[in-house]
Amino acid sequence: MPAIVVVGAQWGDEGKGKVTDVLGAQVDYVVRYQGGNNAGHTVVVNSPEGPQKFALHLLPSGILTPTVTPVIGNGVVVDPAVLLGEIVALNERGIDTSRLLISADAHLITRYHVAMDKTVERFMGNRKIGTTGRGIGPAYMDKVGRQGIRVQDLYDASILRQKVEGALEPKNHMLVKVYNRRAVDASEVTEELLGYGEQIKRYVADTSLVLDQALEAGRTVLLEGGQGTLLDVDHGTYPFVTSSNPTAGGAAVGAGIGPTRITGVVGIVKAYTTRVGEGPFPTELFDEDGEKLREIGGERGVTTGRPRRCGWYDAVIARYATRVNGLTDFFLTKLDVLTGWEQIPVAVAYDIDGVVTENMPVSQTDFHHAKPIFEYLPGWAEDISTAREFADLPKNAQRYVEFLEEVSGAPMSAVGIGQARDAVIERRPLIR
Ligand code: IMP
């Protein structure tokens, strides 16, 4: 009964969607356990009409694999309008979504959460976080502040009305008196939510129980994190983080299974580093190398379209991800993007105000001052996207992967070398 967590080891956008999709054929359930439609997964599926590209924000990427049951766990914040939009869009392209399960305990993102997210960000000025503007932070604030609306509330109209009124009252004061915006009407929100409730009713389930029974029956469960380790509200570069726990511990809480159920934790790590939004980033490039990585790697946000900040691989971050997630494996993605460089820098330590450290500094101020100490590896010029065995890779590409393995704290068990679903070299089975 393997339960494998797949978690981003950097700042998100490491290619988790592709990885979960690749593993899809070997698993029975794919569960999202935190975040919401701030995530963006691009999955390319080969079909008789040629490669088809899917951009998913809220639905687990397992939705594209007919043998998988996709699950939205209790730890996710669900914008029902976005959810229904994704379901309809997939149905129009012939994808069956009827297997989807949504936790009755998941919290909802309403339009007042979106309004608060956008308004507060605008007022923060140069202190802004650079959120995706999807209402994620305000929805989690209400959850922790015990003013949240859960999926199950959609099926008790009088409770829903009371909860929406209670949650809206202080927000309307804020919107009108502090931010000079229009108040949101509680009845309109309630009616809108009741309408969504009817439309998603067929998917709502006790997903904790379903997953427990599945694990007992020997099924394989994949727990899919959104965002990444350094965007974790506890372990990330706070306050430039998302408002949930993508790290592996969050998988048990957000899926409603016990931590002893988890049998493996796969960290997805890009062969270089990217970040969207504000906050420190020691290996960031501001020169033409950064531009080249962005160009070749197609580094633009799936959710917001923002250009991603790009930099070299950072082994200090990778080791930190190994530590806070208990990684058993890495899945290295986008190695092909590095083809064509004469030499490739890899950060192995930081110089922080004259002191060399190999560990992630505990102080954010120190992290802001961290200057990467690089080792330089020889590059390769050959196209590697058709390689299917590790031995097919040019010697220098092999050496690059082996070096990352030595300095990152866990084996590089798989390597992604192109966009296509099968452009992967599996060095060691990820599901064991
Ligand atoms: P929020 O999650 O919308 O509140 O945004 C908080 C921070 O997390 C911002 O820096 C976002 O750019 C970042 N973020 C949220 N979701 C993703 C993602 O899926 N990939 C990369 N960054 C993300």
Side-chain angles (χ1 to χ4, degrees):
M1 46 171 198
I4 313 286
V5 180
V6 169
V7 56
Q10 296 154 320
W11 276 286
D13 307 316
E14 298 90 350
K16 293 179 293 288
K18 179 179 173 182
V19 174
T20 43
D21 186 55
V22 166
L23 293 177
Q26 303 169 52
V27 305
D28 303 299
Y29 291 78
V30 174
V31 188
R32 275 205 61 185
Y33 55 85
Q34 48 67 238
N37 57 309
N38 49 348
H41 288 161
T42 312
V43 184
V44 180
V45 179
N46 289 325
S47 74
E49 300 88 51
Q52 283 207 56
K53 219 173 184 175
F54 292 90
L56 302 172
H57 297 283
L58 184 55
L59 292 172
S61 38
I63 196 100
L64 300 173
T65 308
T67 51
V68 165
T69 302
V71 178
I72 293 181
N74 56 278
V76 175
V77 282
V78 178
D79 184 327
V82 172
L83 176 74
L84 286 163
E86 286 195 3
I87 289 174
V88 169
L90 288 181
N91 293 161
E92 278 170 0
R93 290 173 75 179
I95 309 280
D96 173 25
T97 51
S98 62
R99 305 169 323 276
L100 176 67
L101 298 177
I102 304 171
S103 168
D105 287 341
H107 280 245
L108 294 172
I109 301 178
T110 67
R111 66 169 123 130
Y112 51 82
H113 295 120
V114 179
M116 289 298 286
D117 194 359
K118 291 186 174 152
T119 308
V120 172
E121 273 283 279
R122 209 164 303 134
F123 268 71
M124 297 250 283
N126 59 12
R127 288 182 296 116
K128 72 174 194 284
I129 305 296
T131 73
T132 59
R134 303 298 195 262
I136 307 295
Y140 278 115
M141 281 164 74
D142 271 0
K143 172 177 175 173
V144 176
R146 293 167 295 191
Q147 293 200 322
I149 314 287
R150 294 193 290 177
V151 168
Q152 58 181 277
D153 298 325
L154 299 174
Y155 308 105
D156 184 333
S158 110
I159 285 283
L160 179 67
R161 205 170 301 279
Q162 285 174 39
K163 289 192 173 180
V164 170
E165 280 169 5
L168 250 179
E169 201 186 309
K171 288 180 193 65
N172 275 339
H173 282 299
M174 293 276 280
L175 284 170
V176 175
K177 293 180 188 153
V178 179
Y179 298 117
N180 201 21
R181 292 287 189 280
R182 278 210 323 224
V184 178
D185 186 273
S187 309
E188 273 179 29
V189 173
T190 309
E191 290 313 313
E192 187 182 344
L193 289 177
L194 287 171
Y196 292 140
E198 274 315 303
Q199 294 178 70
I200 63 170
K201 199 169 187 174
R202 56 188 293 211
Y203 305 114
V204 178
D206 180 349
T207 51
S208 164
L209 182 63
V210 170
L211 292 172
D212 189 63
Q213 288 170 343
L215 288 165
E216 281 301 310
R219 302 272 180 269
T220 302
V221 174
L222 194 78
L223 302 144
E224 176 189 38
Q227 294 80 50
T229 299
L230 293 182
L231 289 171
D232 185 284
V233 67
D234 283 83
H235 302 295
T237 47
Y238 191 91
F240 302 103
V241 292
T242 194
S243 298
S244 61
N245 291 115
T247 48
V253 178
I257 61 169
T260 49
R261 291 288 202 180
I262 294 172
T263 52
V265 183
V266 181
I268 315 304
V269 73
K270 229 183 272 200
Y272 49 98
T273 311
T274 63
R275 162 163 216 180
V276 282
E278 310 301 316
F281 178 177
T283 62
E284 182 167 14
L285 289 162
F286 300 95
D287 58 6
E288 62 223 36
D289 278 335
E291 200 45 59
K292 204 167 142 191
L293 284 174
R294 187 156 38 245
E295 206 47 50
I296 303 174
E299 297 297 352
R300 230 157 241 291
V302 179
T303 301
T304 58
R306 290 181 286 183
R308 295 181 184 140
R309 300 156 63 191
C310 296
W312 300 121
Y313 188 91
D314 187 333
V316 181
I317 286 175
R319 286 195 292 275
Y320 179 67
T322 302
R323 163 156 57 101
V324 296
N325 291 297
L327 297 184
T328 52
D329 303 84
F330 274 109
F331 191 129
L332 183 72
T333 59
K334 294 186 123 173
L335 183 65
D336 52 307
V337 174
L338 294 180
T339 299
W341 263 276
E342 216 158 281
Q343 55 173 11
I344 308 168
V346 172
V348 292
Y350 297 146
D351 176 331
I352 300 175
D353 302 324
V355 179
V356 173
T357 173
E358 293 189 348
N359 286 315
M360 187 77 171
V362 72
S363 140
Q364 272 296 295
T365 307
D366 285 348
F367 191 57
H368 275 270
H369 294 184
K371 301 232 167 8
I373 298 174
F374 287 118
E375 289 217 12
Y376 295 84
L377 290 139
W380 59 92
E382 303 89 326
D383 173 22
I384 59 170
S385 60
T386 53
R388 292 295 173 267
E389 300 288 334
F390 193 64
D392 298 340
L393 290 175
K395 277 281 164 291
N396 285 349
Q398 292 185 27
R399 175 74 198 115
Y400 185 75
V401 176
E402 283 163 351
F403 182 76
L404 298 192
E405 182 162 280
E406 280 161 31
V407 291
S408 301
M412 295 280 158
S413 300
V415 184
I417 32 100
Q419 277 215 346
R421 215 174 192 179
D422 61 345
V424 173
I425 297 170
E426 255 202 271
R427 303 176 69 204
R428 181 169 180 246
L430 290 168
I431 298 178
R432 304 187 281 270

